[in-house]
């Protein structure tokens, strides 16, 4: 059974950077992909970035060029490096894994979330 735990959230000023981590109980490349989602108050959860077994990555348009998703297989960890942060990036960020990581319907397992606030 796959468990995921996010960390690294916090409060930063606009233009700043933050690196989120997701510790995975067993490396989730046993699934097709791993990804990051975010949900702001009053809004639907949306896909931010995904990475597939072959290393291919997909990004939501608004974060393309600013965010980078990566994995460290030896540490069983998923990362999201976030640069040039904007207030609209403020949300609870969730790591996830499944067979399709660009939409909620493709997710099998979710982390508990870590809060990112950009002021």
């Amino acid at each position: 059974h796959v468990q995921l735990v996010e960390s690294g959230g916090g409060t930063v000023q606009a233009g700043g950077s933050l690196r989120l981590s997701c510790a995975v109980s067993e490396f989730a490349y046993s699934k097709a992909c791993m990804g990051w989602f975010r949900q702001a108050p009053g809004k639907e959860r949306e896909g931010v970035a995904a990475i597939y077994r072959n290393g291919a990555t997909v990004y939501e348009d608004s974060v393309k060029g600013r965010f980078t998703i990566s994995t460290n297989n030896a540490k069983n960890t998923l990362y999201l490096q976030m640069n040039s942060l904007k207030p609209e990036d403020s949300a609870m960020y969730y790591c996830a894994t499944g067979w399709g990581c660009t939409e909620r319907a493709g997710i099998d397992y979710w982390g508990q979330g870590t809060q990112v606030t950009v002021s």
Side-chain angles (χ1 to χ4, degrees), residues 45-93:
R45 191 171 300 185
E46 64 175 355
V48 176
I51 186 165
Y52 295 82
R53 281 187 303 214
N54 64 359
T57 57
V58 178
Y59 295 93
E60 195 274 326
D61 285 344
S62 70
V63 309
K64 198 171 298 180
R66 301 189 296 119
F67 290 13
T68 303
I69 187 170
S70 63
T71 61
N72 185 323
N73 294 357
K75 295 183 177 180
N76 285 4
T77 304
L78 175 72
Y79 301 99
L80 185 67
Q81 178 67 45
M82 305 184 295
N83 298 326
S84 302
L85 283 161
K86 305 174 180 179
E88 53 262 44
D89 295 318
S90 297
M92 184 72 73
Y93 282 71

